[in-house]
Amino acid sequence: MSAKIPVAVLGATGSVGQRFLALLADHPWFEVRVLTASQRSSGKPYAEAVRWLQTTALPEAYRELVLQPTEPASVAGCPLVFSALGSSVAGPLEPALAAAGHLVVSNAGAHRMDPDVPLVVPEVNPDHIDLARHQDAFRNRGGALLTNPNCSTIGLVLALKPLADAFGIDRLHVTTLQAVSGAGLPGVPGVQTLDNIIPFIPNEEEKVEAETRKILGRLDGSAIIPAEVRVSAHCNRVPVIDGHTACVSVALERQASEDDLRRAWSDFRAAPQELSLPTAPARPVHWLDGLDVPQPRLHRDLDGGMAASVGRLRPCPLLDYKFVTLSHNTLRGAAGGALLLAELAVERGLHAEARRA
């Protein structure tokens, strides 16, 4: 690209906003120009307002950037907007930004299931991104709203996609063991997670079930036809900092051996790898040999935290096979996944400003 695309990050002081900034610090395509926050923090330099919780130092380029209020006027010069907002704020604001001509890539859940909004994991359903071309915002002003799925859904569908392509999936049961960082800031009180598992995350099971069917579905003109896959989910909060684990049992449509499944995972490559997108993992799914893998502390950072890992494949006495998959919830499952989606959107020429860049 001849020049970097100016971008804004909405909700820049929160945990996902911080992840966005850490990933964007040296991005070859995008340059952060605007940061927004709540009224309580707007008007302050970023370094003064943020409680920086990343393991890398706060990049110097952001320290003196003055936080703007989270409203359309603040991002007027940025064709690309990353949203790390909570759903209640994102609900009315994100469509307004798209209507004003911005390409909005959102990590919020407010619009994931809207009929005209793509819900995209770039390795799994890259063609769904074209659904955005049917949005009124795109037809009128060239803007669009794209969404990143729930953090637990992303790791699950990365593991399922190679199986769906090779053998078809009839039904599946998944039990998630989700890290405390998935609750954001301030998150789950520490005393509740010590010596404990919380077997309830509000609306999480419904999200996993519905989002999986939408993502594995097919684009038919201006609509997504959900996959005819029956999904049953149990979701639990566990005392792990980062990394969502999922224990999956799956019934396939066509007969396959364990070696067939391992080969499908190991050989899997998709559009982000073919296009060499900057944030794409070299291997989106890592098959791991061993009786006790994957584990969050050991495997959540594979391929820079952008890959899913899979292990413990064995026959299932109720369905066909069962296995364990793991992904980094705040990297692949949040900011990193949204950044990869934005790269795919630029590569597909979805936004007029991105095409000129």
Side-chain angles (χ1 to χ4, degrees), residues 116-331:
D116 64 347
V117 173
L119 180 66
V120 179
V121 177
E123 287 91 349
V124 178
N125 59 336
D127 59 312
H128 287 201
I129 203 169
D130 289 331
L131 181 65
R133 300 180 186 277
H134 297 278
Q135 295 176 9
D136 289 342
F138 187 82
R139 290 194 294 263
N140 296 336
R141 297 288 300 276
L145 173 57
L146 312 176
T147 56
N148 199 36
N150 179 275
C151 51
S152 53
T153 304
I154 291 178
L156 174 64
V157 297
L158 277 169
L160 292 176
K161 175 63 172 176
L163 308 186
D165 285 352
F167 320 113
I169 296 174
D170 178 66
R171 61 197 184 277
L172 65 99
H173 177 273
V174 56
T175 297
T176 67
L177 310 171
Q178 297 183 213
V180 293
S181 59
L185 297 175
V188 183
V191 68
Q192 290 186 17
T193 62
L194 293 174
D195 190 31
N196 202 22
I197 291 174
I198 301 172
F200 175 68
I201 304 172
N203 303 313
E204 195 80 359
E205 292 165 358
E206 295 85 353
K207 292 176 185 177
V208 171
E209 293 169 359
E211 291 180 12
T212 298
R213 288 190 291 268
K214 182 173 181 179
I215 294 165
L216 295 179
R218 61 184 176 86
L219 177 63
D220 183 9
S222 60
I224 300 295
I225 309 301
E228 294 182 2
V229 178
R230 289 175 288 171
V231 184
S232 177
H234 288 282
C235 295
N236 307 271
R237 189 73 69 194
V238 298
V240 170
I241 296 173
D242 288 314
H244 285 355
T245 300
C247 300
V248 184
S249 291
V250 62
L252 304 174
E253 293 180 341
R254 296 180 290 279
Q255 188 173 5
S257 69
E258 291 186 30
D259 282 344
D260 290 334
L261 270 67
R262 292 188 191 98
R263 190 159 43 248
W265 284 318
S266 297
D267 293 346
F268 180 60
R269 303 292 187 275
Q273 289 71 45
E274 294 164 1
L275 295 168
S276 298
L277 298 180
T279 306
R283 295 167 54 197
V285 179
H286 289 245
W287 164 256
L288 304 176
D289 287 312
L291 297 176
D292 59 353
V293 292
Q295 297 180 25
R297 281 200 299 175
L298 300 179
H299 304 113
R300 61 191 168 206
D301 292 319
L302 289 175
D303 257 320
M306 289 295 290
S309 53
V310 180
R312 288 215 69 208
L313 176 65
R314 65 260 195 229
C316 176
L318 295 179
L319 302 180
D320 290 326
Y321 291 104
K322 50 187 176 180
F323 59 88
V324 178
T325 185
L326 166 75
S327 59
H328 197 303
N329 54 293
T330 63
L331 284 170

